[in-house]
């Protein structure tokens, strides 16, 4: 009975160890995605914003910078300390004796003529910078999710096209075999149909492999590793996104978090310059202490207090060079802001032109699919009537497959052009 009890106890301990030892990320992933879920793009984005390590890391950077503000602000409070000391001495020719001392002291900086306030303002500005950097990291992660999401949808549609092409060649092979057995077609037609079918099956294998990679890319874009099987909603159908280039550029300059971070970095550099300029400012502080000391108990008691003025006179030109450094950093920050605006303007221009281009491509490729389908119907009809060739059927089938894949690519490109433009504007995606 004890052996049986020990067996169950060991099993329970092992299960508990597995549960405790399981990484927190994996536990979270089980909760974020359940087997059989069908996720929308918005749900995938929400998961990424909760689980992606880059998003979480950026937020931790904000928290760290907020702690720096607290560290600097602590200088506004008095400091309280206590100390105690025991020593035993035996001077030459004298008897051995002990010394005891203890004291409690408090000190407070009364004023440093604005240095603390300037430094606190500097660190608060740095908090704002890290907050906008965290927002920009979210923008990057969301873009990656959108790209991977539509990559899966495109891959799924390509698999469907490949499967349809395989079925078409299977039907053509049956027709060729029937005509050959009836004596109305040569053996070449059957062999050609078999080769076409093999090639179509090879394309299907490639399409399915690409789909598996796309699924993995989507999970990775959400910051997840091992997740249960899930599906996503298909919303890649063509929907026109209307905006003028001028409006897009205006929104970009107003919304882009990386630009706001850079602008506040320039403000931070200005604060650093002010702080450097105060390097030789005096400081005034007060202190008070109560102490106990003596060789025997009870110890003598006493207290003292005072005011200290610290006036820097010469520092080897240290402050002078710190000011020069801060001035250069400020100029560099302002130039970086202008450079970023130029880059953003180019991003918006490229995104807008891509949106127009791929919008036109969608209509052209859609027409090409319809024309390729009509061409295939004609080729099949001619072959069934005995006046067409198997090469004509093959060419028409491949052309239809290529046209459908081009249409899928055009849909993907247009949707990604929309996402890219919205990302360039700092707008919500999708």
């Amino acid at each position: 009975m004890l052996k049986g009890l020990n067996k169950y106890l060991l099993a329970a301990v092992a299960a508990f160890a597995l549960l405790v030892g399981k990484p927190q990320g994996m536990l979270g992933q089980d909760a974020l995605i359940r087997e059989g879920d069908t996720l929308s793009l918005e749900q995938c984005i929400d998961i990424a914003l909760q689980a992606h390590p880059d998003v979480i890391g950026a937020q931790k950077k904000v928290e760290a910078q907020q702690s720096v503000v607290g560290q600097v602000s602590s200088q506004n409070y008095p400091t309280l300390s206590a100390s105690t000391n025991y020593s035993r001495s035996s001077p030459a020719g004298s008897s051995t004796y002990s010394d005891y001392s203890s004291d409690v002291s408090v000190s407070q900086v009364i004023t440093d003529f604005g240095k603390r306030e300037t430094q606190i303002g500097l660190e608060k500005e740095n908090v704002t910078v890290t907050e906008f950097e965290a927002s920009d990291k979210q923008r990057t992660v969301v873009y990656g999710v959108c790209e991977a999401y539509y990559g899966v949808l495109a891959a799924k549609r390509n698999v469907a096209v490949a499967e349809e092409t395989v079925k078409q060649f299977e039907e053509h092979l049956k027709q060729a075999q029937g005509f050959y057995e009836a004596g109305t077609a040569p053996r070449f037609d059957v062999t050609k149909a078999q080769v076409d079918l093999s090639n179509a099956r090879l394309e299907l294998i490639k399409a399915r492999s690409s789909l598996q990679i796309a699924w993995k890319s989507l999970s990775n874009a959400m910051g997840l590793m091992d997740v249960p099987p899930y599906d996503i909603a298909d919303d890649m159908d063509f929907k026109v996104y209307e905006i003028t280039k001028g409006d897009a550029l205006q929104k970009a300059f107003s919304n882009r978090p990386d630009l706001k971070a850079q602008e506040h970095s320039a403000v931070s550099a200005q604060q650093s310059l002010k702080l450097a300029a105060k390097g030789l400012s005096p400081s005034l502080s007060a202190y008070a202490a109560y102490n106990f000391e003596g060789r025997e108990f009870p110890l003598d008691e006493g207290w003292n207090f005072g005011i200290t003025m610290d006036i820097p006179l010469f520092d080897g030109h240290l402050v002078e060079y710190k000011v020069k450094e801060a001035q250069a950093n400020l100029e560099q920050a302002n130039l970086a802001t202008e450079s970023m605006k130029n880059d953003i303007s180019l991003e918006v221009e490229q995104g807008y032109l891509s949106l127009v281009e791929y919008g036109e491509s969608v209509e052209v490729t859609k027409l090409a699919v319809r024309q390729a389908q009509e061409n295939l119907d004609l080729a099949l009809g001619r072959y069934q009537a005995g006046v067409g060739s198997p090469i004509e059927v093959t060419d028409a089938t491949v052309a239809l497959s290529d046209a459908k894949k081009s249409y899928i690519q055009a849909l993907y490109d247009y949707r990604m052009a929309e996402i890219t433009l919205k990302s360039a504007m700092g707008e919500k995606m999708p």
Side-chain angles (χ1 to χ4, degrees), residues 212-227:
Q212 292 302 314
I213 295 173
W215 277 118
K216 186 64 178 177
S217 298
L218 177 57
S219 297
N220 183 71
M222 290 189 288
L224 309 179
M225 291 187 296
D226 298 324
V227 294

Side-chain angles (χ1 to χ4, degrees), residues 28-259:
Q29 291 172 24
D30 292 343
L32 290 171
I33 299 180
R34 294 170 296 185
E35 185 172 354
D37 280 351
T38 298
L39 305 177
S40 65
L41 177 55
E42 290 77 8
Q43 289 174 308
C44 291
I45 290 173
D46 288 341
I47 290 171
L49 295 180
Q50 295 178 60
H52 202 288
D54 289 349
V55 173
I56 299 172
Q59 184 56 43
K60 293 301 178 183
K61 186 177 179 180
V62 173
E63 294 174 8
Q65 186 58 44
Q66 289 172 336
S67 296
V68 174
V69 175
Q71 294 171 35
V72 177
S73 300
S74 67
Q75 300 175 35
N76 288 325
Y77 298 93
T79 58
L80 179 66
S81 62
S83 65
T84 185
N85 179 65
Y86 166 75
S87 65
R88 190 167 178 81
S89 304
S90 180
S94 302
S95 60
T96 301
Y97 62 88
S98 298
D99 278 321
Y100 305 91
S101 65
S102 296
D103 67 81
V104 178
S105 62
V106 61
S107 62
Q108 171 70 59
V109 176
I110 299 174
T111 179
D112 57 6
F113 297 89
K115 283 195 291 186
R116 284 176 302 171
E117 291 76 8
T118 303
Q119 188 172 6
I120 291 172
L122 167 63
E123 300 304 340
K124 286 183 177 180
E125 203 62 47
N126 288 336
V127 170
T128 303
V129 171
T130 56
E131 287 175 341
F132 280 119
E133 288 175 344
S135 296
D136 192 58
K137 181 59 66 176
Q138 291 181 357
R139 181 178 70 95
T140 302
V141 168
V142 169
Y143 180 88
V145 172
C146 293
E147 186 177 33
Y149 186 94
Y150 289 115
V152 170
L153 294 181
K156 288 176 69 175
R157 293 193 180 194
N158 283 331
V159 168
V161 170
E163 290 173 342
E164 183 180 343
T165 302
V166 167
K167 290 179 181 178
Q168 289 172 343
F169 278 122
E170 286 174 343
E171 290 296 325
H172 179 56
L173 176 59
K174 290 179 182 178
Q175 288 180 349
Q177 287 175 334
F179 291 158
Y180 172 70
E181 292 170 359
T184 59
R187 176 64 185 173
F188 170 79
D189 289 10
V190 177
T191 303
K192 182 71 170 66
Q194 289 173 336
V195 172
D196 291 338
L197 178 58
S198 296
N199 290 334
R201 286 172 175 168
L202 180 60
E203 291 299 318
L204 177 58
I205 292 172
K206 293 180 180 179
R208 286 173 174 169
S209 177
S210 297
L211 177 58
Q212 292 302 314
I213 295 173
W215 277 118
K216 186 64 178 177
S217 298
L218 177 57
S219 297
N220 183 71
M222 290 189 288
L224 309 179
M225 291 187 296
D226 298 324
V227 294
Y230 65 97
D231 201 0
I232 59 175
D234 191 332
D235 68 343
M236 204 167 68
D237 291 333
F238 183 59
K239 290 174 286 187
V240 177
Y241 177 65
E242 296 182 353
I243 190 170
T244 65
K245 186 167 61 175
D247 288 342
L249 188 60
Q250 183 179 2
K251 288 184 177 182
F253 287 153
S254 299
N255 299 335
R256 279 285 289 264
D258 53 343
L259 178 58

Side-chain angles (χ1 to χ4, degrees), residues 137-396:
K137 181 59 66 176
Q138 291 181 357
R139 181 178 70 95
T140 302
V141 168
V142 169
Y143 180 88
V145 172
C146 293
E147 186 177 33
Y149 186 94
Y150 289 115
V152 170
L153 294 181
K156 288 176 69 175
R157 293 193 180 194
N158 283 331
V159 168
V161 170
E163 290 173 342
E164 183 180 343
T165 302
V166 167
K167 290 179 181 178
Q168 289 172 343
F169 278 122
E170 286 174 343
E171 290 296 325
H172 179 56
L173 176 59
K174 290 179 182 178
Q175 288 180 349
Q177 287 175 334
F179 291 158
Y180 172 70
E181 292 170 359
T184 59
R187 176 64 185 173
F188 170 79
D189 289 10
V190 177
T191 303
K192 182 71 170 66
Q194 289 173 336
V195 172
D196 291 338
L197 178 58
S198 296
N199 290 334
R201 286 172 175 168
L202 180 60
E203 291 299 318
L204 177 58
I205 292 172
K206 293 180 180 179
R208 286 173 174 169
S209 177
S210 297
L211 177 58
Q212 292 302 314
I213 295 173
W215 277 118
K216 186 64 178 177
S217 298
L218 177 57
S219 297
N220 183 71
M222 290 189 288
L224 309 179
M225 291 187 296
D226 298 324
V227 294
Y230 65 97
D231 201 0
I232 59 175
D234 191 332
D235 68 343
M236 204 167 68
D237 291 333
F238 183 59
K239 290 174 286 187
V240 177
Y241 177 65
E242 296 182 353
I243 190 170
T244 65
K245 186 167 61 175
D247 288 342
L249 188 60
Q250 183 179 2
K251 288 184 177 182
F253 287 153
S254 299
N255 299 335
R256 279 285 289 264
D258 53 343
L259 178 58
K260 289 183 178 297
Q262 182 57 47
E263 289 172 342
H264 281 277
S265 292
V267 177
S268 178
Q270 180 67 50
Q271 292 289 93
S272 295
L273 178 58
K274 290 175 60 178
L275 181 62
K278 292 180 178 293
L280 291 177
S281 298
S283 64
L284 181 66
S285 59
Y287 68 91
Y290 198 87
N291 53 66
F292 305 83
E293 60 183 358
R295 296 184 177 181
E296 297 180 354
F297 290 94
L299 302 177
D300 297 329
E301 300 181 25
W303 54 267
N304 61 82
F305 68 89
I307 296 178
T308 300
M309 173 70 82
D310 183 15
I311 305 175
L313 298 178
F314 181 71
D315 63 354
H317 303 288
L318 176 62
V319 170
E320 177 185 349
Y321 287 113
K322 282 187 174 183
V323 169
K324 289 182 178 180
E325 178 190 7
Q327 287 175 332
N329 288 335
L330 176 59
E331 292 173 6
Q332 186 274 332
N334 289 331
L335 291 171
T337 300
E338 293 304 313
S339 177
M340 182 172 289
K341 287 181 178 180
N342 291 337
D343 292 341
I344 290 174
S345 179
L346 178 60
E347 282 185 50
V348 171
E349 179 80 19
Q350 292 173 333
Y352 183 81
L353 292 176
S354 295
L355 188 72
V356 174
E357 174 190 348
Y358 293 129
E360 295 174 352
S361 297
V362 169
E363 296 300 328
V364 172
T365 54
K366 185 177 181 180
L367 176 61
V369 170
R370 185 166 66 249
Q371 292 171 338
Q373 183 65 61
E374 293 173 357
N375 187 47
L376 176 59
D377 292 340
L378 290 173
L380 289 173
R382 285 169 54 82
Y383 184 75
Q384 291 170 0
V387 295
S389 71
I391 297 177
E392 185 180 0
V393 173
T394 299
D395 291 345

